[in-house]
Structures are given as structure tokens and as C-alpha cells.
Amino acid sequence: MSSVKVVNIKDVEGQRRDPPRTSWILVSEKTVGSKNIAMGVNETDPGGMVPEHMHETEEEVMFFLSGKGLFVTEDEEIPLEAGVCVYNPPGGKHKIVNTGDEVLKFVWIYAPQLKSHRIDS
């Protein structure tokens, strides 16, 4: 029988990165023992971004809670605001840019989780 795990963001130390942003990893193998998915919250400061990167095998979903920005791929720029959900399949380069004057806040989910979210990383 499995047991439910509960994580409160207030109890998780955010990881500060440059360009200026903070990420809280709430669900992963390291935090709750999950085997297939990871979930967290990102806050990107005004003028900041999540630099261009690619996920070889991971699907990614991002649900934007507040702020304004752009989801930039090799082919398009998708406007971001509260209520927008982006599904990003494996294999494409992308970045997220905060174009507004407040924090761009979003929930992210990876399946499978990134290697860095696993205990053996």
C-alpha cells in the first residue's frame, strides 16, 4: 500500500539561479520518492529568463500563474500570462523570458523527471 505525501512550499528551500529566478522542487524522487514525474514552482524576476535549453526525453507542462512573458522556441514566440498552459514535447530548444514588470510565476511538471531530480544524480 502506498502512502500519500504532502509538501508545503513554505517548507522547501528555493534554488536561486542566474539569470535571476528561483525554483522550488516540490515533487521528485528526492523529495517524495516519485518515480515518474517531477513538479515545482518557478519565479522569474522582471528582466530575467530561463535560458535556452532542451529536454531530450522529458515532456514538460508549464501553467502560468502571474506575470507576463514569452515562451520562445526556434519557430515561435508564445505570449505568457496568468491562465496560459504550455505543453512542450521532448527535443525542442526553448526559453522563457519575463517581459513584464512583476515576477513571472509558473508551475512546471516533467515526465519522466530530470536526472537531477533523482536520488542517484
Side-chain angles (χ1 to χ4, degrees):
M1 184 163 123
S2 64
S3 64
V4 172
K5 308 283 190 203
V6 176
V7 179
N8 189 318
I9 194 168
K10 294 184 286 187
D11 300 326
V12 176
E13 185 176 345
Q15 299 175 356
R16 189 76 177 155
R17 300 184 180 165
D18 284 318
R21 64 193 192 280
T22 304
S23 188
W24 292 264
I25 301 170
L26 304 177
V27 173
S28 71
E29 186 178 42
K30 288 180 180 177
T31 62
V32 299
S34 65
K35 299 299 179 195
N36 300 306
I37 65 171
M39 176 267 178
V41 176
N42 179 288
E43 291 184 352
T44 300
D45 294 358
M49 71 163 65
V50 177
E52 185 175 78
H53 62 286
M54 179 174 61
H55 308 289
E56 296 284 338
T57 59
E58 299 83 14
E59 294 178 285
E60 180 179 21
V61 174
M62 292 146 284
F63 180 68
F64 291 84
L65 303 169
S66 63
K68 302 272 185 205
L70 290 172
F71 184 85
V72 181
T73 70
E74 297 169 357
D75 304 319
E76 61 187 323
E77 291 186 354
I78 300 164
L80 302 171
E81 63 183 5
V84 170
C85 185
V86 175
Y87 165 74
N88 187 50
K93 289 184 181 176
H94 61 283
K95 65 182 174 181
I96 300 165
V97 180
N98 183 338
T99 60
D101 56 3
E102 65 181 89
V103 168
L104 179 64
K105 184 174 184 174
F106 61 96
V107 172
W108 53 262
I109 300 169
Y110 293 111
Q113 61 192 289
L114 300 176
K115 184 171 172 51
S116 63
H117 298 151
R118 297 201 176 273
I119 291 172
D120 60 2
S121 68

